[in-house]
Amino acid sequence: MARQEKTNAVRMLEAAGIEFETRSYDTDEHLDAVSVAEKIGESPERVFKTLVTVNDKREHFVFVIPGDCSLDLKKAAKVSGSKYIEMIKMDLLLPLTGYIRGGCSPIGMKRQFPVFIAEEAQLFESIFVSAGVRGMQILIRPDDLIKITGGEFADLI
């Protein structure tokens, strides 16, 4: 598939020689992963959303979970070695990551944060994550997502 634009995520994947595809879709006010899955004709379990959190020590962590699931904050705190963890405030997303809501990719953030990917990703040959803009998803093998983000699989939902 032709790539419409080169996002940070796309540039990083190309530079690393990692195989991936992009899938574009029309955007509207529905930014959730379930709506995105419907627009690209995929199962919500295979379209993963990227969540950015902060812990009790003001450290940031990134969690990548299936679009139709919710992050278990207790599991997230445990896996990240935190006393507690919470979602960051939306107005901090862009300055912290370089990405906007509905276009936040776990690949190519302004700074590298610890990344945890729901172990359910391993059930699929490939999964979708945001390409770093609204209207584009990246199709990538879960192990390659681990490789490019320095992440690890974890029980998160």
Side-chain angles (χ1 to χ4, degrees):
M1 171 178 262
R3 295 186 174 94
Q4 282 74 20
E5 64 182 284
K6 296 249 184 158
T7 64
N8 286 344
V10 167
R11 279 190 287 276
M12 284 184 67
L13 288 167
E14 287 178 344
I18 293 176
E19 285 185 38
F20 69 99
E21 294 177 26
T22 59
R23 182 105 31 109
S24 297
Y25 60 94
D26 292 329
T27 59
D28 56 28
E29 72 277 0
H30 301 289
L31 302 173
D32 62 285
V34 173
S35 297
V36 169
E38 187 176 297
K39 290 174 189 176
I40 64 172
E42 292 292 340
S43 164
E45 300 90 36
R46 197 170 165 216
V47 177
F48 281 58
K49 56 188 171 185
T50 303
L51 305 173
V52 183
T53 62
V54 63
N55 73 359
D56 50 293
K57 299 175 190 164
R58 311 310 301 161
E59 298 167 323
H60 295 94
F61 298 90
V62 175
F63 296 93
V64 183
I65 65 170
D68 62 343
C69 295
S70 297
L71 178 64
D72 183 319
L73 294 176
K74 287 184 180 178
K75 289 180 178 181
K78 182 177 179 180
V79 76
S80 66
S82 306
K83 285 184 185 175
Y84 71 87
I85 207 157
E86 62 188 11
M87 299 300 297
I88 65 164
K89 293 181 178 21
M90 271 305 115
D91 61 342
L92 297 178
L93 186 63
L94 180 60
L96 188 66
T97 66
Y99 292 130
I100 59 172
R101 180 176 175 267
C104 187
S105 179
I107 306 164
M109 290 187 179
K110 278 182 165 181
R111 293 193 324 228
Q112 181 66 43
F113 300 111
V115 175
F116 297 94
I117 300 166
E119 60 193 7
E120 288 78 6
Q122 298 171 96
L123 299 173
F124 302 98
E125 184 178 324
S126 56
I127 61 170
F128 289 90
V129 296
S130 176
V133 291
R134 291 177 185 160
M136 188 190 305
Q137 292 281 301
I138 289 173
L139 179 64
I140 186 171
R141 286 190 294 275
D143 287 342
D144 286 340
L145 185 58
I146 290 287
K147 183 176 165 184
I148 195 74
T149 62
E152 63 184 76
F153 294 117
D155 179 13
L156 301 174
I157 57 175

